[in-house]
């Protein structure tokens, strides 16, 4: 993601912490409905901001975001989540 390597479980990416349990972006990727570039090891390549993606990943892990995020960081996170 943006030149930074993140490691997590597939289940973290596809199990939505949101109450609706709606499929998310990664569910589409791992089901084959959406294709992403992969590197030579098979890792996914995401053209995204690593600093913002860190917060996306934490939300997927915990179902919440840090209260310490600035307004700008929250806006970046909201934009990333919508796309």
């Amino acid at each position: 993601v943006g030149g930074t390597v993140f490691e997590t479980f597939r289940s973290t990416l596809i199990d939505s912490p949101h109450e609706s349990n709606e499929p998310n972006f990664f569910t589409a990727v791992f089901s084959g409905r959406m294709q992403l570039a992969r590197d030579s090891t098979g890792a996914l390549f995401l053209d995204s901001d690593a600093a913002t993606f860190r917060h996306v990943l934490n939300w997927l892990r915990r179902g919440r975001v840090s209260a310490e995020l600035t307004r700008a960081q929250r806006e970046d996170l909201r934009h990333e989540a919508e796309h």
Side-chain angles (χ1 to χ4, degrees):
V1 180
T4 301
V5 175
F6 290 90
E7 292 186 36
T8 192
F9 295 104
R10 178 186 290 212
S11 60
T12 299
L13 298 174
I14 62 174
D15 293 341
S16 175
H18 192 272
E19 289 179 11
S20 69
N21 225 9
E22 294 177 15
N24 65 32
F25 171 82
F26 293 105
T27 303
V29 169
F30 290 119
S31 71
R33 292 190 313 258
M34 180 183 288
Q35 297 295 316
L36 285 181
R38 293 181 181 261
D39 70 10
S40 61
T41 68
L44 296 173
F45 173 81
L46 298 175
D47 185 17
S48 186
D49 177 64
T52 301
F53 185 75
R54 178 175 65 97
H55 298 296
V56 171
L57 190 54
N58 283 335
W59 179 79
L60 288 169
R61 288 176 174 145
R62 300 182 188 116
R64 60 182 173 80
V65 295
S66 172
E68 298 177 8
L69 292 179
T70 66
R71 185 175 185 183
Q73 288 172 317
R74 286 184 181 275
E75 191 60 34
D76 288 345
L77 182 55
R78 180 180 7 257
H79 179 75
E80 191 71 21
E82 291 173 353
H83 296 92

